[in-house]
Amino acid sequence: MTTVSRRTFLKGTVAGSVLAVAAGAGLLAPRRVLADSWPAAAFSEKTAQGALKALFGTDNIPLSTDIHVRAPIQAENGAVVPIEVSTTLPNVESISLVVDKNPFPLVCHARLLNGAQGFFMARMKMGQTSIVRVVVKSNGALHEATQSIKVTVGGCGG
Amino acid sequence: MAHETKIKTRPKDGATEILVLVSHPMETGQRTDPKTKKKIPAHFIETLTISVNGKPVLEADMSIGISKDPLLGILVKGPKDGDKVNVAWRDNKGETGAGEAVVGG
């Protein structure tokens, strides 16, 4: 009996110290990550318009030719669709990705700070062929670019 | 569960490109386990921050729409070789992860 309890005790100590190390690493990291700023309302919207309204307060965003979207026109695998956004717009504050036909259209909202350029790259999931919107906030104003990405179901490259 | 956080930096167009790769399932909560017929609960990274020398350069809010093993890339002007890049993230289950790298290292 004593051995069992000692084992449990040791296990607990090891797990505890691992946690302590993790907490220590967390302390070195920026505090804002720990703050709960995740916009749950915008992410749970089921339409692109709803998500944009929840995030920016408007879904009436003018198109801009200064946003360059590099993404495949046809994606063979909807689970991994690479997208690269670059823009020449000044003072870019954020870049957001919205896939209209996803069950939850808002994919990512990236705030760029302290010298980060108008550039963002990520890999998205897409349930089906859809319009992809890229919303860039620059100097407080919103700009949008769209691209249609075709998703081949089954990923056979047809 | 250990989630590895990898960071890579490289010079690009007169700035520094920072790439972050986290091994994370990014489970959508929409899938069912084919064996048990039960829904697999959602498990995804909600926020990820990249900072250079302690100053945040990217704060990304993410959803289940980001692919498994998220790869994010940004371009930052200013970092010099030897500057410290830190990444920290938190998922919807409250798990956190962090990574550290040196520019040009």
Side-chain angles (χ1 to χ4, degrees):
Chain A
M1 281 306 269
T2 30
T3 37
V4 170
S5 60
R6 196 173 70 170
R7 173 122 328 155
T8 347
F9 171 74
L10 281 174
K11 258 188 183 168
T13 331
V14 170
S17 58
V18 167
L19 272 179
V21 168
L27 283 176
L28 297 171
R31 292 232 68 89
R32 289 180 75 170
V33 165
L34 303 170
D36 207 353
S37 63
W38 195 67
F43 278 114
S44 55
E45 282 288 342
K46 292 194 164 63
T47 62
Q49 282 73 21
L52 291 175
K53 268 192 186 150
L55 199 58
F56 300 114
T58 175
D59 62 345
N60 183 16
I61 300 168
L63 286 171
S64 166
T65 52
D66 295 326
I67 304 169
H68 305 286
V69 180
R70 241 180 69 194
I73 289 169
Q74 183 161 20
E76 290 185 15
N77 181 2
V80 183
V81 183
I83 183 163
E84 195 180 294
V85 179
S86 59
T87 174
T88 49
L89 290 164
N91 297 329
V92 175
E93 291 159 41
S94 74
I95 295 178
S96 314
L97 306 176
V98 179
V99 179
D100 277 30
K101 290 210 176 143
N102 269 11
F104 301 100
L106 183 60
V107 167
C108 185
H109 176 61
R111 290 180 295 279
L112 300 165
L113 315 137
N114 297 318
Q117 305 290 291
F119 177 91
F120 185 64
M121 189 193 79
R123 296 189 301 202
M124 314 179 288
K125 285 178 203 157
M126 288 181 68
Q128 54 178 302
T129 300
S130 169
I131 296 275
V132 175
R133 291 165 203 268
V134 174
V135 178
V136 174
K137 193 173 185 187
S138 142
N139 272 342
L142 298 168
H143 305 270
E144 185 181 72
T146 59
Q147 185 178 331
S148 174
I149 299 179
K150 204 171 150 189
V151 175
T152 316
V153 180
C156 300
Chain B
M1 226 198 303
H3 300 294
E4 208 182 344
T5 307
K6 283 186 190 166
I7 308 167
K8 204 172 149 184
T9 63
R10 62 182 177 206
K12 188 182 175 187
D13 304 333
T16 304
E17 186 177 37
I18 302 174
L19 295 166
V20 176
L21 178 70
V22 184
S23 47
H24 196 284
M26 296 302 277
E27 198 57 67
T28 61
Q30 316 258 318
R31 292 198 312 149
T32 33
D33 189 320
K35 278 186 197 140
T36 62
K37 307 277 184 250
K38 273 191 191 148
K39 277 220 163 175
I40 303 172
H43 187 202
F44 59 97
I45 296 178
E46 286 186 342
T47 58
L48 185 147
T49 303
I50 304 179
S51 33
V52 177
N53 283 344
K55 273 189 174 178
V57 289
L58 171 80
E59 290 175 356
D61 291 328
M62 295 158 39
S63 76
I64 55 173
I66 291 283
S67 301
K68 182 185 169 188
D69 296 342
L71 171 73
L72 301 180
I74 56 165
L75 205 58
V76 186
K77 231 179 190 140
K80 296 179 289 293
D81 278 9
D83 281 0
K84 239 167 71 174
V85 178
N86 280 88
V87 171
W89 56 262
R90 177 181 55 78
D91 69 21
N92 66 323
K93 288 187 179 173
E95 288 175 32
T96 57
E100 194 182 292
V102 171
V103 174

